[in-house]
């Protein structure tokens, strides 16, 4: 059964193209057609937040940082080519168990599979971090944990403290949920401060630690996805991420296209929620996505498909 990614792409470029490969080059963000919109939103958000951050988007301002200036529209030289035939999808996967009723045995299975298939990381709720660290000792598999999950509506101090405690325990990556309501209320300064505060806690917790910002794109307008991506990069996040997998929808190509086009090489993109088939995972990776969040990692590396899961 085709996942959300393939279904959405079918609607955009046609069923024939979607049968074998998802061609991100057909989408507007890749072709620079949204760059003027992005630059206008950056200028607007700088004014709203009271900070300058256009310099964090050099691919959008090749002739300087003036958001109102004239810029080349279709120079995609900053994008690195990806040969899908040489991709090992396992090293892009955050093998994930986040359900409320997950038991120690579920976590044992998660970590055993992660070691067997050499996944990049496991992603778990914070209380499971010590167990994962013990089970993965001596392996290359990293431990990531979610905070403010799945709603993101807690206060900034609580979310930052949660992140600080988890990285102190040994997690190297934190996946935070953006405050969706604050974004919709146009409280841009609050959203920026939320991300920046958590980013500081994560980075201060250890060299090489990374913060991923979950947008919950299914709840956002296109403009809100743009704003979330801009604010995330401006606040220092290392990844932008589509979904929790616990709301009304998951990763879709139009959102991934915008996110990739906005962050450039200043941050990376994680596709999550509904990525359950190898073809979708490889297509995302081929487009430039650097991480896949899924509970179907084993299915993906073995080339099958899964009807359920995160």
């Amino acid at each position: 059964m085709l996942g959300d990614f393939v279904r959405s792409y079918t609607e955009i470029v046609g069923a024939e193209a979607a049968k074998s490969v998802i061609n991100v080059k057909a989408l507007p963000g890749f072709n620079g057609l949204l760059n003027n919109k992005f630059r206008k939103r950056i200028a607007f958000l700088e004014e709203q937040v009271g900070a300058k951050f256009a310099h964090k988007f050099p691919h959008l301002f090749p002739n300087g940082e003036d958001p109102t200036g004239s810029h080349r529209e279709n120079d995609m030289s900053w994008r690195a080519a990806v040969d899908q035939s040489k991709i090992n999808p396992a090293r892009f996967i955050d093998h994930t168990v986040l359900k409320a009723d997950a038991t120690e045995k579920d976590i044992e299975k998660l970590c055993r599979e992660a070691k067997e298939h050499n996944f990049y990381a496991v992603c778990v709720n914070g209380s499971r971090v010590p167990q994962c660290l013990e089970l993965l000792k001596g392996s290359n598999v990293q431990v990531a944990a979610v905070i403010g999950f799945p709603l993101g509506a807690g206060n900034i101090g609580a979310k930052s403290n949660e992140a600080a405690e988890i990285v102190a325990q040994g997690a190297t990556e934190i996946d935070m949920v953006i405050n969706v309501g604050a974004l919709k209320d146009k409280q841009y300064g609050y959203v920026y401060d939320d991300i920046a505060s958590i980013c500081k806690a994560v980075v201060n917790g250890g060299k090489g630690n990374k913060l991923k910002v979950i947008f919950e794109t299914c709840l956002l307008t296109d403009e809100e996805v743009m704003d979330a991506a801009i604010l995330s990069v401006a606040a220092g996040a290392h990844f932008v991420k589509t979904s929790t997998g616990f709301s009304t929808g998951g990763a879709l190509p139009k959102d991934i296209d915008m996110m990739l086009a906005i962050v450039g090489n200043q941050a990376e993109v994680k596709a999550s929620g509904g990525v359950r088939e190898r073809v979708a995972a490889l297509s995302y990776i081929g487009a430039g996505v650097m991480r896949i969040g899924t509970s179907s990692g084993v299915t993906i590396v073995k080339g099958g498909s899964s009807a359920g899961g995160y």
Side-chain angles (χ1 to χ4, degrees):
M1 182 177 180
L2 294 177
D4 289 343
F5 184 99
V6 178
R7 283 197 297 273
S8 180
Y9 186 80
T10 300
E11 295 172 359
I12 295 172
V13 299
E16 289 304 312
K19 283 181 179 177
S20 59
V21 66
I22 296 160
N23 180 16
V24 72
K25 294 181 180 179
L27 300 176
F30 181 89
N31 290 293
L33 301 180
L34 301 176
N35 286 357
N36 274 336
K37 287 184 178 180
F38 298 159
R39 285 191 283 264
K40 289 177 181 177
R41 292 310 294 177
I42 290 170
F44 170 77
L45 291 169
E46 284 184 328
E47 182 178 346
Q48 296 296 307
V49 173
K52 294 294 184 181
F53 38 75
H55 63 281
K56 294 191 175 184
F57 304 88
H59 62 296
L60 294 175
F61 300 98
N63 303 329
E65 296 173 14
D66 179 9
T68 64
S70 176
H71 301 277
R72 299 189 301 271
E73 288 306 310
N74 296 307
D75 182 3
M76 294 293 114
S77 59
W78 60 272
R79 288 181 181 266
V82 179
D83 184 350
Q84 290 190 41
S85 68
K86 298 180 179 179
I87 292 171
N88 173 13
R91 294 305 297 161
F92 292 81
I93 288 176
D94 284 356
H95 199 35
T96 302
V97 168
L98 296 170
K99 59 185 182 178
D101 59 348
T103 64
E104 287 186 354
K105 288 186 177 180
D106 292 323
I107 302 303
E108 289 171 2
K109 179 174 181 286
L110 181 83
C111 292
R112 183 171 63 252
E113 291 172 343
K115 288 196 293 186
E116 178 184 350
H117 297 284
N118 197 26
F119 291 136
Y120 188 89
V122 295
C123 186
V124 295
N125 287 297
S127 64
R128 296 299 184 181
V129 166
Q131 182 186 1
C132 290
L133 289 168
E134 182 63 28
L135 290 169
L136 294 170
K137 191 180 296 183
S139 76
N140 293 323
V141 182
Q142 302 296 304
V143 176
V146 294
I147 64 118
F149 193 87
L151 302 179
N155 68 52
I156 294 174
K159 291 167 75 175
S160 298
N161 288 338
E162 184 182 12
E165 181 175 347
I166 291 172
V167 295
Q169 290 178 338
T172 56
E173 298 188 347
I174 294 294
D175 292 36
M176 67 165 283
V177 184
I178 203 169
N179 192 314
V180 175
L183 182 62
K184 286 188 169 294
D185 284 337
K186 305 187 186 306
Q187 296 178 11
Y188 304 113
Y190 185 96
V191 174
Y192 174 88
D193 289 344
D194 188 30
I195 299 168
S197 177
I198 296 167
C199 188
K200 182 179 179 180
V202 171
V203 172
N204 287 349
K207 184 178 180 180
N209 287 353
K210 294 182 179 180
L211 174 67
K212 309 187 197 91
V213 181
I214 307 171
F215 294 177
E216 207 69 286
T217 51
C218 60
L219 302 180
L220 303 181
T221 65
D222 287 353
E223 185 173 89
E224 288 165 348
V225 172
M226 294 179 200
D227 291 348
I230 292 166
L231 291 170
S232 295
V233 173
H238 305 89
F239 275 84
V240 294
K241 175 179 171 182
T242 55
S243 316
T244 64
F246 286 77
S247 190
T248 60
L252 296 175
K254 70 178 182 66
D255 298 321
I256 290 291
D257 179 53
M258 285 191 291
M259 292 161 72
L260 285 167
I262 289 171
V263 305
N265 292 325
Q266 309 311 302
E268 295 178 325
V269 176
K270 177 175 174 178
S272 57
V275 185
R276 305 185 188 103
E277 296 94 11
R278 186 180 181 90
V279 63
L282 288 176
S283 295
Y284 272 138
I285 296 166
V289 167
M290 294 303 294
R291 206 73 65 82
I292 303 291
T294 181
S295 59
S296 302
V298 174
T299 299
I300 288 171
V301 296
K302 290 185 175 180
S305 64
S306 175
Y310 169 79

